[in-house]
Amino acid sequence: MEHGSLNDIRNSTFSLMDEDHTLANSLRFLLNKDPRVEFCAYSIPHPSENKVNIRVQTTGDSAKDVFKDACQDLILLCQHVRSTFDKAVADSSTK
């Protein structure tokens, strides 16, 4: 769910349900490396609630588009890690 201003597409807060520090910190890391991002942080409103809020402020691009790009980058990164791991396991079993 996105909470943002209808007048300013550069600033939004995204609420992700059933998530925790694992996804939020990974996205925060990738977003802060993006030159289009001016500010990014996340918070967990309450420890007993499986919800994270990720705040994104950009230099001009749509926060929603930048957030989507970070999600895509994280998917690609995870796929690379998985394929590298699988290759290393396969290589070690043939030795």
Side-chain angles (χ1 to χ4, degrees):
M1 176 184 301
E2 179 184 6
H3 309 281
S5 169
L6 295 175
N7 300 328
D8 188 4
I9 61 168
R10 299 175 306 141
N11 305 310
S12 285
T13 300
F14 301 91
S15 294
L16 306 176
M17 303 304 292
D18 297 323
E19 293 299 341
D20 59 15
H21 292 282
T22 305
L23 179 63
N25 198 39
S26 299
L27 284 171
R28 180 204 53 82
F29 176 80
L30 289 174
L31 283 160
N32 278 321
K33 290 181 60 103
D34 191 323
R36 300 173 295 172
V37 174
E38 200 170 74
F39 173 82
C40 177
Y42 77 91
S43 65
I44 296 181
H46 192 275
S48 67
E49 190 176 0
N50 288 336
K51 172 182 166 183
V52 295
N53 294 323
I54 302 176
R55 175 73 177 172
V56 179
Q57 294 174 208
T58 69
T59 57
D61 292 3
S62 162
K64 185 177 187 176
D65 291 341
V66 172
F67 185 77
K68 283 183 184 180
D69 290 347
C71 291
Q72 281 297 116
D73 291 345
L74 185 57
I75 290 169
L76 293 173
L77 181 61
C78 290
Q79 288 172 341
H80 173 72
V81 169
R82 178 64 187 258
S83 65
T84 302
F85 176 79
D86 289 344
K87 184 180 181 315
V89 168
D91 290 349
S92 69
S93 65
T94 60
K95 290 181 181 182

mmCIF file of all heavy atoms in Angstrom, residues 35-87:
data_model
loop_
_atom_site.group_PDB
_atom_site.id
_atom_site.type_symbol
_atom_site.label_atom_id
_atom_site.label_comp_id
_atom_site.label_asym_id
_atom_site.label_seq_id
_atom_site.Cartn_x
_atom_site.Cartn_y
_atom_site.Cartn_z
ATOM 1 N N PRO A 35 21.007 6.806 -7.319
ATOM 2 C CA PRO A 35 21.248 8.250 -7.349
ATOM 3 C C PRO A 35 19.975 9.095 -7.431
ATOM 4 O O PRO A 35 20.003 10.288 -7.134
ATOM 5 C CB PRO A 35 22.123 8.455 -8.589
ATOM 6 C CG PRO A 35 21.972 7.223 -9.402
ATOM 7 C CD PRO A 35 21.568 6.112 -8.464
ATOM 8 N N ARG A 36 18.862 8.479 -7.790
ATOM 9 C CA ARG A 36 17.596 9.213 -7.852
ATOM 10 C C ARG A 36 16.969 9.401 -6.475
ATOM 11 O O ARG A 36 16.010 10.156 -6.323
ATOM 12 C CB ARG A 36 16.602 8.480 -8.755
ATOM 13 C CG ARG A 36 17.078 8.308 -10.179
ATOM 14 C CD ARG A 36 16.138 7.438 -10.978
ATOM 15 N NE ARG A 36 16.133 6.071 -10.445
ATOM 16 C CZ ARG A 36 15.295 5.128 -10.837
ATOM 17 N NH1 ARG A 36 14.386 5.384 -11.757
ATOM 18 N NH2 ARG A 36 15.362 3.918 -10.318
ATOM 19 N N VAL A 37 17.503 8.703 -5.470
ATOM 20 C CA VAL A 37 16.920 8.740 -4.127
ATOM 21 C C VAL A 37 17.628 9.781 -3.271
ATOM 22 O O VAL A 37 18.851 9.775 -3.139
ATOM 23 C CB VAL A 37 16.990 7.343 -3.468
ATOM 24 C CG1 VAL A 37 16.534 7.398 -2.017
ATOM 25 C CG2 VAL A 37 16.139 6.353 -4.255
ATOM 26 N N GLU A 38 16.831 10.656 -2.705
ATOM 27 C CA GLU A 38 17.326 11.697 -1.809
ATOM 28 C C GLU A 38 17.340 11.202 -0.364
ATOM 29 O O GLU A 38 18.222 11.523 0.416
ATOM 30 C CB GLU A 38 16.390 12.903 -1.930
ATOM 31 C CG GLU A 38 16.937 14.206 -1.481
ATOM 32 C CD GLU A 38 16.003 15.325 -1.889
ATOM 33 O OE1 GLU A 38 14.927 15.462 -1.265
ATOM 34 O OE2 GLU A 38 16.349 16.050 -2.838
ATOM 35 N N PHE A 39 16.322 10.416 -0.004
ATOM 36 C CA PHE A 39 16.186 9.893 1.352
ATOM 37 C C PHE A 39 15.412 8.589 1.302
ATOM 38 O O PHE A 39 14.441 8.451 0.568
ATOM 39 C CB PHE A 39 15.430 10.898 2.232
ATOM 40 C CG PHE A 39 15.093 10.369 3.592
ATOM 41 C CD1 PHE A 39 16.024 10.388 4.607
ATOM 42 C CD2 PHE A 39 13.834 9.832 3.857
ATOM 43 C CE1 PHE A 39 15.719 9.881 5.872
ATOM 44 C CE2 PHE A 39 13.514 9.329 5.110
ATOM 45 C CZ PHE A 39 14.458 9.358 6.116
ATOM 46 N N CYS A 40 15.843 7.622 2.109
ATOM 47 C CA CYS A 40 15.105 6.376 2.257
ATOM 48 C C CYS A 40 15.382 5.807 3.635
ATOM 49 O O CYS A 40 16.534 5.757 4.078
ATOM 50 C CB CYS A 40 15.510 5.365 1.191
ATOM 51 S SG CYS A 40 14.661 3.787 1.404
ATOM 52 N N ALA A 41 14.327 5.397 4.309
ATOM 53 C CA ALA A 41 14.441 4.749 5.614
ATOM 54 C C ALA A 41 13.209 3.876 5.812
ATOM 55 O O ALA A 41 12.221 4.011 5.093
ATOM 56 C CB ALA A 41 14.541 5.784 6.726
ATOM 57 N N TYR A 42 13.300 2.986 6.785
ATOM 58 C CA TYR A 42 12.128 2.171 7.087
ATOM 59 C C TYR A 42 11.894 2.140 8.586
ATOM 60 O O TYR A 42 12.785 2.414 9.379
ATOM 61 C CB TYR A 42 12.262 0.753 6.517
ATOM 62 C CG TYR A 42 13.164 -0.178 7.281
ATOM 63 C CD1 TYR A 42 12.650 -0.986 8.294
ATOM 64 C CD2 TYR A 42 14.514 -0.282 6.993
ATOM 65 C CE1 TYR A 42 13.468 -1.862 8.996
ATOM 66 C CE2 TYR A 42 15.328 -1.149 7.682
ATOM 67 C CZ TYR A 42 14.807 -1.932 8.681
ATOM 68 O OH TYR A 42 15.612 -2.797 9.367
ATOM 69 N N SER A 43 10.657 1.822 8.929
ATOM 70 C CA SER A 43 10.310 1.674 10.339
ATOM 71 C C SER A 43 9.325 0.536 10.488
ATOM 72 O O SER A 43 8.610 0.180 9.550
ATOM 73 C CB SER A 43 9.695 2.964 10.891
ATOM 74 O OG SER A 43 8.464 3.237 10.248
ATOM 75 N N ILE A 44 9.327 -0.034 11.673
ATOM 76 C CA ILE A 44 8.349 -1.052 12.030
ATOM 77 C C ILE A 44 7.497 -0.431 13.126
ATOM 78 O O ILE A 44 8.008 -0.146 14.211
ATOM 79 C CB ILE A 44 9.032 -2.350 12.487
ATOM 80 C CG1 ILE A 44 9.815 -2.927 11.298
ATOM 81 C CG2 ILE A 44 8.022 -3.344 13.035
ATOM 82 C CD1 ILE A 44 10.535 -4.208 11.563
ATOM 83 N N PRO A 45 6.211 -0.179 12.826
ATOM 84 C CA PRO A 45 5.367 0.554 13.770
ATOM 85 C C PRO A 45 5.274 -0.079 15.158
ATOM 86 O O PRO A 45 5.288 0.617 16.161
ATOM 87 C CB PRO A 45 4.002 0.587 13.102
ATOM 88 C CG PRO A 45 4.256 0.314 11.662
ATOM 89 C CD PRO A 45 5.495 -0.514 11.606
ATOM 90 N N HIS A 46 5.184 -1.403 15.199
ATOM 91 C CA HIS A 46 5.065 -2.093 16.491
ATOM 92 C C HIS A 46 5.643 -3.500 16.337
ATOM 93 O O HIS A 46 5.390 -4.166 15.330
ATOM 94 C CB HIS A 46 3.602 -2.166 16.932
ATOM 95 C CG HIS A 46 3.444 -2.593 18.355
ATOM 96 N ND1 HIS A 46 3.415 -3.911 18.720
ATOM 97 C CD2 HIS A 46 3.334 -1.869 19.483
ATOM 98 C CE1 HIS A 46 3.280 -3.989 20.040
ATOM 99 N NE2 HIS A 46 3.238 -2.763 20.527
ATOM 100 N N PRO A 47 6.406 -3.973 17.308
ATOM 101 C CA PRO A 47 7.045 -5.294 17.181
ATOM 102 C C PRO A 47 6.080 -6.458 16.970
ATOM 103 O O PRO A 47 6.442 -7.459 16.350
ATOM 104 C CB PRO A 47 7.791 -5.466 18.509
ATOM 105 C CG PRO A 47 7.928 -4.109 19.066
ATOM 106 C CD PRO A 47 6.786 -3.299 18.540
ATOM 107 N N SER A 48 4.882 -6.347 17.459
ATOM 108 C CA SER A 48 3.940 -7.463 17.311
ATOM 109 C C SER A 48 3.164 -7.399 15.991
ATOM 110 O O SER A 48 2.377 -8.292 15.701
ATOM 111 C CB SER A 48 2.951 -7.477 18.480
ATOM 112 O OG SER A 48 2.111 -6.348 18.424
ATOM 113 N N GLU A 49 3.396 -6.365 15.211
ATOM 114 C CA GLU A 49 2.695 -6.201 13.937
ATOM 115 C C GLU A 49 3.678 -6.494 12.801
ATOM 116 O O GLU A 49 4.737 -5.880 12.716
ATOM 117 C CB GLU A 49 2.180 -4.765 13.833
ATOM 118 C CG GLU A 49 1.241 -4.519 12.701
ATOM 119 C CD GLU A 49 0.699 -3.104 12.728
ATOM 120 O OE1 GLU A 49 1.043 -2.318 13.614
ATOM 121 O OE2 GLU A 49 -0.076 -2.789 11.815
ATOM 122 N N ASN A 50 3.341 -7.454 11.945
ATOM 123 C CA ASN A 50 4.203 -7.804 10.816
ATOM 124 C C ASN A 50 3.988 -6.825 9.673
ATOM 125 O O ASN A 50 3.405 -7.143 8.645
ATOM 126 C CB ASN A 50 3.934 -9.234 10.342
ATOM 127 C CG ASN A 50 4.448 -10.253 11.309
ATOM 128 O OD1 ASN A 50 5.356 -9.979 12.072
ATOM 129 N ND2 ASN A 50 3.866 -11.430 11.284
ATOM 130 N N LYS A 51 4.498 -5.611 9.875
ATOM 131 C CA LYS A 51 4.312 -4.555 8.891
ATOM 132 C C LYS A 51 5.534 -3.652 8.931
ATOM 133 O O LYS A 51 6.068 -3.364 10.000
ATOM 134 C CB LYS A 51 3.060 -3.758 9.236
ATOM 135 C CG LYS A 51 2.820 -2.522 8.423
ATOM 136 C CD LYS A 51 1.570 -1.813 8.931
ATOM 137 C CE LYS A 51 1.463 -0.429 8.388
ATOM 138 N NZ LYS A 51 0.308 0.281 8.924
ATOM 139 N N VAL A 52 5.997 -3.245 7.745
ATOM 140 C CA VAL A 52 7.076 -2.264 7.676
ATOM 141 C C VAL A 52 6.620 -1.096 6.809
ATOM 142 O O VAL A 52 5.856 -1.276 5.867
ATOM 143 C CB VAL A 52 8.388 -2.853 7.112
ATOM 144 C CG1 VAL A 52 8.951 -3.908 8.021
ATOM 145 C CG2 VAL A 52 8.211 -3.393 5.723
ATOM 146 N N ASN A 53 7.096 0.075 7.156
ATOM 147 C CA ASN A 53 6.850 1.272 6.357
ATOM 148 C C ASN A 53 8.189 1.719 5.787
ATOM 149 O O ASN A 53 9.160 1.876 6.528
ATOM 150 C CB ASN A 53 6.271 2.398 7.224
ATOM 151 C CG ASN A 53 4.898 2.059 7.744
ATOM 152 O OD1 ASN A 53 4.096 1.448 7.058
ATOM 153 N ND2 ASN A 53 4.627 2.445 8.972
ATOM 154 N N ILE A 54 8.225 1.892 4.467
ATOM 155 C CA ILE A 54 9.444 2.351 3.806
ATOM 156 C C ILE A 54 9.163 3.723 3.198
ATOM 157 O O ILE A 54 8.280 3.856 2.350
ATOM 158 C CB ILE A 54 9.917 1.364 2.720
ATOM 159 C CG1 ILE A 54 10.154 -0.015 3.327
ATOM 160 C CG2 ILE A 54 11.166 1.888 2.026
ATOM 161 C CD1 ILE A 54 10.537 -1.082 2.331
ATOM 162 N N ARG A 55 9.917 4.715 3.649
ATOM 163 C CA ARG A 55 9.762 6.088 3.170
ATOM 164 C C ARG A 55 10.789 6.332 2.076
ATOM 165 O O ARG A 55 11.979 6.060 2.248
ATOM 166 C CB ARG A 55 9.978 7.071 4.324
ATOM 167 C CG ARG A 55 9.950 8.524 3.928
ATOM 168 C CD ARG A 55 8.546 8.954 3.608
ATOM 169 N NE ARG A 55 8.522 10.380 3.295
ATOM 170 C CZ ARG A 55 7.476 11.006 2.829
ATOM 171 N NH1 ARG A 55 6.346 10.354 2.627
ATOM 172 N NH2 ARG A 55 7.517 12.280 2.574
ATOM 173 N N VAL A 56 10.320 6.838 0.922
ATOM 174 C CA VAL A 56 11.191 7.126 -0.208
ATOM 175 C C VAL A 56 10.946 8.561 -0.661
ATOM 176 O O VAL A 56 9.809 8.954 -0.907
ATOM 177 C CB VAL A 56 10.928 6.164 -1.394
ATOM 178 C CG1 VAL A 56 11.824 6.497 -2.568
ATOM 179 C CG2 VAL A 56 11.103 4.724 -0.977
ATOM 180 N N GLN A 57 12.030 9.321 -0.745
ATOM 181 C CA GLN A 57 11.975 10.672 -1.292
ATOM 182 C C GLN A 57 13.015 10.742 -2.404
ATOM 183 O O GLN A 57 14.173 10.401 -2.192
ATOM 184 C CB GLN A 57 12.283 11.713 -0.208
ATOM 185 C CG GLN A 57 11.235 11.763 0.868
ATOM 186 C CD GLN A 57 11.587 12.690 2.015
ATOM 187 O OE1 GLN A 57 11.143 12.453 3.127
ATOM 188 N NE2 GLN A 57 12.366 13.722 1.783
ATOM 189 N N THR A 58 12.587 11.165 -3.584
ATOM 190 C CA THR A 58 13.476 11.170 -4.742
ATOM 191 C C THR A 58 13.860 12.599 -5.132
ATOM 192 O O THR A 58 13.284 13.570 -4.652
ATOM 193 C CB THR A 58 12.806 10.481 -5.950
ATOM 194 O OG1 THR A 58 11.734 11.286 -6.419
ATOM 195 C CG2 THR A 58 12.312 9.096 -5.594
ATOM 196 N N THR A 59 14.807 12.671 -6.044
ATOM 197 C CA THR A 59 15.275 13.968 -6.539
ATOM 198 C C THR A 59 14.365 14.531 -7.623
ATOM 199 O O THR A 59 14.511 15.682 -8.002
ATOM 200 C CB THR A 59 16.700 13.845 -7.097
ATOM 201 O OG1 THR A 59 16.704 12.850 -8.127
ATOM 202 C CG2 THR A 59 17.680 13.473 -6.011
ATOM 203 N N GLY A 60 13.447 13.727 -8.119
ATOM 204 C CA GLY A 60 12.544 14.217 -9.158
ATOM 205 C C GLY A 60 11.673 13.137 -9.771
ATOM 206 O O GLY A 60 10.558 13.409 -10.201
ATOM 207 N N ASP A 61 12.175 11.918 -9.825
ATOM 208 C CA ASP A 61 11.407 10.817 -10.396
ATOM 209 C C ASP A 61 10.291 10.389 -9.445
ATOM 210 O O ASP A 61 10.323 10.702 -8.257
ATOM 211 C CB ASP A 61 12.308 9.616 -10.677
ATOM 212 C CG ASP A 61 13.307 9.880 -11.790
ATOM 213 O OD1 ASP A 61 13.339 11.013 -12.295
ATOM 214 O OD2 ASP A 61 14.048 8.964 -12.147
ATOM 215 N N SER A 62 9.351 9.654 -9.971
ATOM 216 C CA SER A 62 8.256 9.123 -9.160
ATOM 217 C C SER A 62 8.793 8.144 -8.122
ATOM 218 O O SER A 62 9.537 7.210 -8.464
ATOM 219 C CB SER A 62 7.254 8.420 -10.077
ATOM 220 O OG SER A 62 6.418 7.555 -9.366
ATOM 221 N N ALA A 63 8.434 8.350 -6.869
ATOM 222 C CA ALA A 63 8.867 7.451 -5.799
ATOM 223 C C ALA A 63 8.361 6.037 -6.064
ATOM 224 O O ALA A 63 9.062 5.054 -5.789
ATOM 225 C CB ALA A 63 8.372 7.956 -4.452
ATOM 226 N N LYS A 64 7.177 5.933 -6.617
ATOM 227 C CA LYS A 64 6.605 4.622 -6.920
ATOM 228 C C LYS A 64 7.458 3.879 -7.954
ATOM 229 O O LYS A 64 7.743 2.696 -7.799
ATOM 230 C CB LYS A 64 5.175 4.790 -7.430
ATOM 231 C CG LYS A 64 4.418 3.528 -7.663
ATOM 232 C CD LYS A 64 2.999 3.843 -8.091
ATOM 233 C CE LYS A 64 2.149 2.620 -8.186
ATOM 234 N NZ LYS A 64 0.747 2.950 -8.522
ATOM 235 N N ASP A 65 7.885 4.578 -8.993
ATOM 236 C CA ASP A 65 8.714 3.956 -10.030
ATOM 237 C C ASP A 65 10.080 3.550 -9.486
ATOM 238 O O ASP A 65 10.594 2.473 -9.797
ATOM 239 C CB ASP A 65 8.890 4.897 -11.220
ATOM 240 C CG ASP A 65 7.606 5.112 -11.996
ATOM 241 O OD1 ASP A 65 6.669 4.291 -11.859
ATOM 242 O OD2 ASP A 65 7.521 6.114 -12.730
ATOM 243 N N VAL A 66 10.666 4.409 -8.664
ATOM 244 C CA VAL A 66 11.969 4.110 -8.074
ATOM 245 C C VAL A 66 11.857 2.903 -7.142
ATOM 246 O O VAL A 66 12.720 2.027 -7.137
ATOM 247 C CB VAL A 66 12.523 5.353 -7.340
ATOM 248 C CG1 VAL A 66 13.774 5.019 -6.559
ATOM 249 C CG2 VAL A 66 12.797 6.480 -8.335
ATOM 250 N N PHE A 67 10.774 2.834 -6.365
ATOM 251 C CA PHE A 67 10.540 1.703 -5.471
ATOM 252 C C PHE A 67 10.371 0.407 -6.264
ATOM 253 O O PHE A 67 10.946 -0.623 -5.916
ATOM 254 C CB PHE A 67 9.312 1.975 -4.597
ATOM 255 C CG PHE A 67 9.065 0.931 -3.558
ATOM 256 C CD1 PHE A 67 9.832 0.890 -2.404
ATOM 257 C CD2 PHE A 67 8.055 -0.010 -3.716
ATOM 258 C CE1 PHE A 67 9.607 -0.073 -1.427
ATOM 259 C CE2 PHE A 67 7.826 -0.974 -2.756
ATOM 260 C CZ PHE A 67 8.602 -1.005 -1.598
ATOM 261 N N LYS A 68 9.605 0.468 -7.358
ATOM 262 C CA LYS A 68 9.432 -0.710 -8.220
ATOM 263 C C LYS A 68 10.765 -1.166 -8.797
ATOM 264 O O LYS A 68 11.051 -2.372 -8.858
ATOM 265 C CB LYS A 68 8.467 -0.400 -9.371
ATOM 266 C CG LYS A 68 7.024 -0.395 -8.995
ATOM 267 C CD LYS A 68 6.181 -0.137 -10.241
ATOM 268 C CE LYS A 68 4.727 -0.016 -9.945
ATOM 269 N NZ LYS A 68 3.938 0.244 -11.175
ATOM 270 N N ASP A 69 11.588 -0.216 -9.220
ATOM 271 C CA ASP A 69 12.902 -0.558 -9.766
ATOM 272 C C ASP A 69 13.762 -1.258 -8.716
ATOM 273 O O ASP A 69 14.464 -2.228 -9.018
ATOM 274 C CB ASP A 69 13.625 0.690 -10.276
ATOM 275 C CG ASP A 69 12.990 1.273 -11.530
ATOM 276 O OD1 ASP A 69 12.149 0.585 -12.160
ATOM 277 O OD2 ASP A 69 13.333 2.422 -11.885
ATOM 278 N N ALA A 70 13.716 -0.775 -7.479
ATOM 279 C CA ALA A 70 14.493 -1.398 -6.396
ATOM 280 C C ALA A 70 14.001 -2.820 -6.141
ATOM 281 O O ALA A 70 14.813 -3.723 -5.892
ATOM 282 C CB ALA A 70 14.406 -0.553 -5.129
ATOM 283 N N CYS A 71 12.693 -3.031 -6.194
ATOM 284 C CA CYS A 71 12.143 -4.383 -6.018
ATOM 285 C C CYS A 71 12.636 -5.308 -7.132
ATOM 286 O O CYS A 71 13.026 -6.459 -6.857
ATOM 287 C CB CYS A 71 10.617 -4.343 -5.991
ATOM 288 S SG CYS A 71 9.916 -3.558 -4.524
ATOM 289 N N GLN A 72 12.638 -4.815 -8.361
ATOM 290 C CA GLN A 72 13.138 -5.610 -9.493
ATOM 291 C C GLN A 72 14.622 -5.913 -9.325
ATOM 292 O O GLN A 72 15.067 -7.031 -9.576
ATOM 293 C CB GLN A 72 12.907 -4.880 -10.815
ATOM 294 C CG GLN A 72 11.500 -4.982 -11.343
ATOM 295 C CD GLN A 72 11.135 -6.414 -11.649
ATOM 296 O OE1 GLN A 72 10.240 -6.969 -11.035
ATOM 297 N NE2 GLN A 72 11.807 -7.036 -12.581
ATOM 298 N N ASP A 73 15.397 -4.918 -8.897
ATOM 299 C CA ASP A 73 16.832 -5.123 -8.669
ATOM 300 C C ASP A 73 17.074 -6.172 -7.592
ATOM 301 O O ASP A 73 17.982 -6.999 -7.710
ATOM 302 C CB ASP A 73 17.513 -3.812 -8.272
ATOM 303 C CG ASP A 73 17.583 -2.813 -9.412
ATOM 304 O OD1 ASP A 73 17.363 -3.217 -10.575
ATOM 305 O OD2 ASP A 73 17.851 -1.625 -9.132
ATOM 306 N N LEU A 74 16.260 -6.147 -6.543
ATOM 307 C CA LEU A 74 16.406 -7.130 -5.470
ATOM 308 C C LEU A 74 16.082 -8.538 -5.965
ATOM 309 O O LEU A 74 16.759 -9.504 -5.612
ATOM 310 C CB LEU A 74 15.528 -6.760 -4.273
ATOM 311 C CG LEU A 74 15.657 -7.635 -3.040
ATOM 312 C CD1 LEU A 74 17.107 -7.670 -2.544
ATOM 313 C CD2 LEU A 74 14.732 -7.145 -1.941
ATOM 314 N N ILE A 75 15.073 -8.661 -6.802
ATOM 315 C CA ILE A 75 14.734 -9.964 -7.387
ATOM 316 C C ILE A 75 15.906 -10.484 -8.206
ATOM 317 O O ILE A 75 16.303 -11.650 -8.073
ATOM 318 C CB ILE A 75 13.450 -9.865 -8.253
ATOM 319 C CG1 ILE A 75 12.225 -9.655 -7.362
ATOM 320 C CG2 ILE A 75 13.285 -11.093 -9.142
ATOM 321 C CD1 ILE A 75 10.960 -9.280 -8.120
ATOM 322 N N LEU A 76 16.484 -9.633 -9.045
ATOM 323 C CA LEU A 76 17.627 -10.041 -9.871
ATOM 324 C C LEU A 76 18.833 -10.415 -9.010
ATOM 325 O O LEU A 76 19.533 -11.391 -9.296
ATOM 326 C CB LEU A 76 18.003 -8.928 -10.855
ATOM 327 C CG LEU A 76 16.979 -8.629 -11.938
ATOM 328 C CD1 LEU A 76 17.397 -7.392 -12.736
ATOM 329 C CD2 LEU A 76 16.794 -9.824 -12.853
ATOM 330 N N LEU A 77 19.061 -9.661 -7.964
ATOM 331 C CA LEU A 77 20.172 -9.951 -7.054
ATOM 332 C C LEU A 77 19.983 -11.309 -6.374
ATOM 333 O O LEU A 77 20.915 -12.116 -6.300
ATOM 334 C CB LEU A 77 20.290 -8.844 -6.015
ATOM 335 C CG LEU A 77 21.405 -8.963 -4.991
ATOM 336 C CD1 LEU A 77 22.767 -8.968 -5.670
ATOM 337 C CD2 LEU A 77 21.310 -7.835 -3.991
ATOM 338 N N CYS A 78 18.774 -11.581 -5.919
ATOM 339 C CA CYS A 78 18.483 -12.874 -5.280
ATOM 340 C C CYS A 78 18.634 -14.027 -6.270
ATOM 341 O O CYS A 78 19.148 -15.098 -5.918
ATOM 342 C CB CYS A 78 17.084 -12.863 -4.671
ATOM 343 S SG CYS A 78 16.940 -11.811 -3.219
ATOM 344 N N GLN A 79 18.194 -13.812 -7.508
ATOM 345 C CA GLN A 79 18.347 -14.851 -8.528
ATOM 346 C C GLN A 79 19.825 -15.135 -8.800
ATOM 347 O O GLN A 79 20.229 -16.288 -8.963
ATOM 348 C CB GLN A 79 17.641 -14.443 -9.823
ATOM 349 C CG GLN A 79 16.142 -14.492 -9.720
ATOM 350 C CD GLN A 79 15.443 -13.896 -10.938
ATOM 351 O OE1 GLN A 79 16.025 -13.146 -11.711
ATOM 352 N NE2 GLN A 79 14.156 -14.229 -11.078
ATOM 353 N N HIS A 80 20.638 -14.089 -8.829
ATOM 354 C CA HIS A 80 22.074 -14.259 -9.053
ATOM 355 C C HIS A 80 22.715 -15.035 -7.896
ATOM 356 O O HIS A 80 23.510 -15.955 -8.121
ATOM 357 C CB HIS A 80 22.757 -12.898 -9.218
ATOM 358 C CG HIS A 80 24.241 -12.994 -9.278
ATOM 359 N ND1 HIS A 80 24.908 -13.509 -10.371
ATOM 360 C CD2 HIS A 80 25.195 -12.668 -8.376
ATOM 361 C CE1 HIS A 80 26.202 -13.498 -10.135
ATOM 362 N NE2 HIS A 80 26.406 -12.991 -8.927
ATOM 363 N N VAL A 81 22.369 -14.674 -6.679
ATOM 364 C CA VAL A 81 22.906 -15.366 -5.506
ATOM 365 C C VAL A 81 22.505 -16.835 -5.538
ATOM 366 O O VAL A 81 23.325 -17.727 -5.304
ATOM 367 C CB VAL A 81 22.449 -14.686 -4.195
ATOM 368 C CG1 VAL A 81 22.777 -15.544 -2.988
ATOM 369 C CG2 VAL A 81 23.076 -13.309 -4.066
ATOM 370 N N ARG A 82 21.251 -17.103 -5.866
ATOM 371 C CA ARG A 82 20.762 -18.479 -5.915
ATOM 372 C C ARG A 82 21.488 -19.299 -6.981
ATOM 373 O O ARG A 82 21.916 -20.434 -6.733
ATOM 374 C CB ARG A 82 19.245 -18.479 -6.171
ATOM 375 C CG ARG A 82 18.625 -19.858 -6.303
ATOM 376 C CD ARG A 82 18.765 -20.624 -4.996
ATOM 377 N NE ARG A 82 18.339 -21.977 -5.107
ATOM 378 C CZ ARG A 82 17.170 -22.442 -4.670
ATOM 379 N NH1 ARG A 82 16.316 -21.635 -4.096
ATOM 380 N NH2 ARG A 82 16.872 -23.690 -4.808
ATOM 381 N N SER A 83 21.647 -18.728 -8.175
ATOM 382 C CA SER A 83 22.312 -19.483 -9.248
ATOM 383 C C SER A 83 23.795 -19.694 -8.930
ATOM 384 O O SER A 83 24.345 -20.756 -9.226
ATOM 385 C CB SER A 83 22.137 -18.791 -10.600
ATOM 386 O OG SER A 83 22.791 -17.545 -10.617
ATOM 387 N N THR A 84 24.436 -18.713 -8.314
ATOM 388 C CA THR A 84 25.838 -18.864 -7.918
ATOM 389 C C THR A 84 25.981 -19.950 -6.856
ATOM 390 O O THR A 84 26.893 -20.778 -6.912
ATOM 391 C CB THR A 84 26.392 -17.524 -7.387
ATOM 392 O OG1 THR A 84 26.251 -16.526 -8.400
ATOM 393 C CG2 THR A 84 27.849 -17.635 -6.997
ATOM 394 N N PHE A 85 25.066 -19.970 -5.904
ATOM 395 C CA PHE A 85 25.072 -20.995 -4.859
ATOM 396 C C PHE A 85 24.844 -22.381 -5.459
ATOM 397 O O PHE A 85 25.572 -23.327 -5.149
ATOM 398 C CB PHE A 85 23.997 -20.686 -3.812
ATOM 399 C CG PHE A 85 23.880 -21.740 -2.759
ATOM 400 C CD1 PHE A 85 24.787 -21.789 -1.704
ATOM 401 C CD2 PHE A 85 22.857 -22.671 -2.809
ATOM 402 C CE1 PHE A 85 24.681 -22.763 -0.732
ATOM 403 C CE2 PHE A 85 22.745 -23.656 -1.829
ATOM 404 C CZ PHE A 85 23.657 -23.697 -0.785
ATOM 405 N N ASP A 86 23.828 -22.502 -6.318
ATOM 406 C CA ASP A 86 23.537 -23.789 -6.930
ATOM 407 C C ASP A 86 24.728 -24.300 -7.750
ATOM 408 O O ASP A 86 25.047 -25.500 -7.722
ATOM 409 C CB ASP A 86 22.297 -23.689 -7.837
ATOM 410 C CG ASP A 86 21.006 -23.526 -7.048
ATOM 411 O OD1 ASP A 86 21.021 -23.793 -5.821
ATOM 412 O OD2 ASP A 86 19.986 -23.121 -7.653
ATOM 413 N N LYS A 87 25.393 -23.398 -8.460
ATOM 414 C CA LYS A 87 26.565 -23.785 -9.249
ATOM 415 C C LYS A 87 27.691 -24.255 -8.324
ATOM 416 O O LYS A 87 28.358 -25.261 -8.598
ATOM 417 C CB LYS A 87 27.046 -22.627 -10.112
ATOM 418 C CG LYS A 87 28.209 -22.982 -11.023
ATOM 419 C CD LYS A 87 28.645 -21.792 -11.851
ATOM 420 C CE LYS A 87 29.771 -22.089 -12.784
ATOM 421 N NZ LYS A 87 30.874 -22.846 -12.268
#
